[in-house]
Amino acid sequence: MKISNSVFVNQAGYPLKGPKVFTAAEAGEFELVEAGSGRILYEGVMSPLKEDRASGLAVAKGDFSGFEEAGRFFLRMKESGAVSPEFAVGERPYAALEKALLKSFYFQRCGMELTAEYAGPWSHGPCHLAEAHVHGNPEERYPQTGGWHDAGDYGKYTVAAVKAVADLLLAYERFPGAFAEPVGIPNASRLPDVLAEVQFELEFLLLMQRPDGEVYHKVTTAEFPPYDCMPEFDLAELIFSPVSDTATGSFAAGMALAARVYRELEPGLAERYAEAAKRAWRSLQGRPAAEGFRNPPGIITGEYGDKSSADEVYWAAAELFRLTGEAEYLQAAEAKLEEGWESWTAVRGNALLCRLGWAYTAGYGTLSLLDAGPGLVPEALRARLLGAWLAEAEEYAERSAADGFGISLLPEEYIWGSNMLVMNRAMVLITAEGMTGDKRFGQAALAHWDYLLGRNVLGYCYVTGFGANRVLNPHHRPSEGDGVAEPVPGMVAGGPNVRLQDETAVSLLAGAAPAACYVDHMESYSTNEMTIYWNSPAVFVAAYAGRI
């Protein structure tokens, strides 16, 4: 059977009782065929063809949600004979994928040997064991070992790390049952694997805090190592870049969130995290906000620059209020909200107020206040925030229904890390469903999930190790340097980037439609890198999708 490149499905599969929607570049009738036997088990009719600006195609949607039998299948268009990749329908079609998405964080661990027992063929020696010096002062040295490498390089960045930690903790808070089974990491604690993995990162983040409470922005070498450099051979000097208010604010928020999640299971850990959060918070008080972080002289690794720390401070205040119940934090959150409301709602509706990124973090603060128990947040404030959140979710749901591939991105929003944006918006939709019970939001979130796993114009499953058409050449140094044909599994590729921000993308993708501006090439870091904070929202969405 020759697979067509014109029938686009979730290649990981569809839940037995959930929605089952696909896209094709033709209209007319379709049939669902059992793999192996060739039996036709379901027939349907596509929607009318409609131009899809982002993909540059005219496409139609098909729906076989009424089919509820387990097995392996493919879809075939009656007129052309075009067929989709095979996929599963079952009770738990995403079980292996859920585990792989979470285990990818283990593969990013710094400072320890990844043994064959847990890492299989992707094992390697311990790395980055030396102390780092503070930028501008080679004699001032501190430990930095531990945590996760951020991406396809070996830097460790506070603001990126905290976004990843927050997504994982929020996933556990909402869907604890999704993390009941081990995923295959070393874990001698009584914590579920997700919390043990996050603890590994939190212990590193504590090393990023100075005694005065402020937090270093990142620890990296001065420049990136070669593309095929394995982590244990990256021996250049490690450097703490200066502290920043964005790092300090996000650190305070993440530690307060962690303290809340861990306090029932590990109260000792929770107390350490709470104290670190409060020290970071105190360091931000009584002085004007510093200018946004910029790389200091001689450092050319990822900058993670951010002009304003107002959203990080808002988030920190919200999380400290959730943790302590103390009015001063709620007052601080309200003050920052009032200060930022006009700018956070001016760009496009309520986008920045509900954004779940590493640079725009206000959405985490908003979600934290909305999740507070009854009567804790003044009703007028809660109503205002809920209205903004649901308005944003409504816009995503409407766009999803209109989009040929079921997602909420506008053509110009296929940017660096567009797959993170897709997953972040699915998080907003999932939480909106939880707040309202409106299934439309959940269905739109699942359409975003389908997109990540193959229902996109290129027909790629954007998670390494999965799908009939899978990513094989991610911008990820261990996967390039280890001599193993398959890349480390469970990593989310960055996705289409219409801005073409690397030489490979420019040379291979010029003139492509926005949703097609992706290439599975190791040197296309602007479309094909992985990061911990692209994987983290995917873990959240997987935890939801796996419970349908």
Side-chain angles (χ1 to χ4, degrees):
M1 181 184 74
K2 185 177 181 181
I3 297 172
S4 164
N5 61 354
S6 62
V7 185
F8 312 100
V9 300
N10 182 328
Q11 294 168 25
Y14 294 89
L16 201 62
K17 301 294 185 181
K20 305 173 188 69
V21 184
F22 70 100
T23 296
E26 62 179 282
E29 297 179 330
F30 70 89
E31 50 197 18
L32 180 73
V33 184
E34 185 177 45
S37 73
R39 291 189 302 149
I40 298 171
L41 299 181
Y42 189 92
E43 296 179 278
V45 180
M46 305 294 291
S47 68
L49 278 172
K50 180 181 176 182
E51 290 295 327
D52 182 70
R53 287 196 303 138
S55 68
L57 294 180
V59 296
K61 296 178 184 178
D63 190 330
F64 58 105
S65 301
F67 180 79
E68 295 184 353
E69 294 181 29
R72 291 199 63 81
F73 311 93
F74 61 89
L75 290 157
R76 181 166 60 210
M77 306 304 295
K78 280 192 174 182
E79 183 174 344
S80 69
V83 298
S84 75
E86 283 188 20
F87 54 86
V89 174
E91 291 281 359
R92 298 189 61 198
Y94 312 127
L97 177 59
E98 289 179 68
K99 292 181 179 181
L101 287 167
L102 179 57
K103 188 170 179 176
S104 73
F105 292 88
Y106 164 76
F107 285 112
Q108 292 296 104
R109 284 191 183 189
C110 176
M112 64 174 285
E113 180 183 8
L114 303 191
T115 65
E117 178 183 2
Y118 296 104
W122 301 284
S123 59
H124 63 74
C127 60
H128 305 103
L129 301 175
E131 291 185 336
H133 75 258
V134 175
H135 184 268
N137 187 356
E139 303 304 314
E140 188 178 0
R141 294 179 172 271
Y142 301 106
Q144 60 74 47
T145 299
W148 304 317
H149 299 140
D150 175 65
D153 62 272
Y154 302 126
K156 294 181 288 189
Y157 307 84
T158 298
V159 293
V162 173
K163 187 235 182 317
V165 162
D167 292 338
L168 297 181
L169 293 179
L170 291 172
Y172 174 76
E173 241 188 350
R174 274 176 162 73
F175 311 110
F179 303 99
E181 297 176 4
V183 300
I185 64 171
N187 180 8
S189 75
R190 60 180 179 176
L191 296 169
D193 279 354
V194 63
L195 296 188
E197 192 60 59
V198 170
Q199 182 192 350
F200 190 81
E201 179 74 344
L202 291 168
E203 294 302 308
F204 158 73
L205 283 171
L206 290 174
L207 299 177
M208 298 294 281
Q209 186 175 41
R210 299 192 315 197
D212 65 1
E214 295 192 69
V215 178
Y216 293 112
H217 196 79
K218 62 178 181 174
V219 59
T220 69
T221 52
E223 56 187 39
F224 295 120
Y227 284 161
D228 62 352
C229 179
M230 289 296 288
E232 62 267 43
F233 301 124
D234 181 28
L235 302 176
E237 183 80 0
L238 291 160
I239 306 162
F240 288 106
S241 285
V243 297
S244 71
D245 283 0
T246 52
T248 304
S250 63
F251 174 96
M255 286 293 168
L257 170 57
R260 184 178 83 241
V261 173
Y262 285 81
R263 63 182 164 189
E264 295 298 326
L265 292 171
E266 289 288 352
L269 284 179
E271 183 56 36
R272 290 175 61 216
Y273 301 153
E275 178 52 35
K278 292 173 184 176
R279 282 196 293 123
W281 175 262
R282 289 194 295 270
S283 76
L284 293 167
Q285 307 310 304
R287 61 174 177 80
E291 292 184 5
F293 179 84
R294 290 292 179 264
N295 269 339
I299 303 293
I300 60 172
T301 51
E303 185 171 75
Y304 288 93
D306 188 349
K307 294 179 180 179
S308 172
S309 61
D311 48 339
E312 286 83 6
V313 174
Y314 165 58
W315 179 23
E319 293 294 358
L320 282 162
F321 171 67
R322 288 285 307 283
L323 176 67
T324 68
E326 295 175 10
E328 65 175 284
Y329 296 119
L330 179 59
Q331 292 165 3
E334 288 187 276
K336 281 296 175 185
L337 186 64
E338 290 302 324
E339 177 185 314
W341 186 276
E342 185 175 345
S343 61
W344 294 347
T345 59
V347 175
R348 181 192 54 76
N350 302 292
L352 298 189
L353 184 64
C354 304
R355 188 74 61 86
L356 301 173
W358 61 261
Y360 298 105
T361 62
Y364 291 106
T366 299
L367 190 58
S368 184
L369 293 176
L370 287 172
D371 282 348
L376 293 179
V377 174
E379 186 54 38
L381 172 60
R382 190 179 189 284
R384 190 182 190 192
L385 294 176
L386 181 61
W389 197 267
L390 296 183
E392 190 70 4
E394 187 67 45
E395 182 161 353
Y396 296 161
E398 289 175 1
R399 287 196 202 167
S400 176
D403 183 79
F405 291 84
I407 64 168
S408 58
L409 297 191
L410 299 173
E412 63 270 20
E413 291 178 323
Y414 287 83
I415 57 173
W416 197 325
S418 62
N419 282 340
M420 178 197 71
L421 197 54
V422 171
M423 291 294 96
N424 285 352
R425 290 183 176 181
M427 286 181 65
V428 172
L429 289 159
I430 290 165
T431 53
E433 182 189 51
M435 294 168 191
T436 64
D438 190 334
K439 298 298 184 184
R440 290 182 308 114
F441 294 135
Q443 290 170 357
L446 290 175
H448 286 65
W449 176 242
D450 291 345
Y451 168 91
L452 185 75
L453 302 178
R455 188 187 164 198
N456 55 71
V457 68
L458 296 177
Y460 266 110
C461 179
Y462 283 121
V463 182
T464 56
F466 291 85
N469 187 24
R470 62 185 61 183
V471 174
L472 294 173
N473 304 289
H475 181 83
H476 183 248
R477 282 167 176 79
S479 293
E480 178 71 7
D482 61 11
V484 181
E486 285 277 338
V488 169
M491 301 186 301
V492 174
N497 177 8
V498 72
R499 299 174 184 174
L500 306 184
Q501 290 169 283
D502 62 70
E503 291 182 4
T504 300
V506 170
S507 66
L508 297 177
L509 299 172
C517 287
Y518 166 84
V519 59
D520 182 18
H521 194 295
M522 200 278 175
E523 294 185 16
S524 183
Y525 48 83
S526 74
T527 75
N528 205 31
E529 191 167 12
M530 67 79 60
T531 77
I532 55 174
Y533 56 92
W534 297 343
N535 258 73
S536 57
V539 169
F540 184 104
V541 180
Y544 170 82
R547 316 277 80 72
I548 298 299

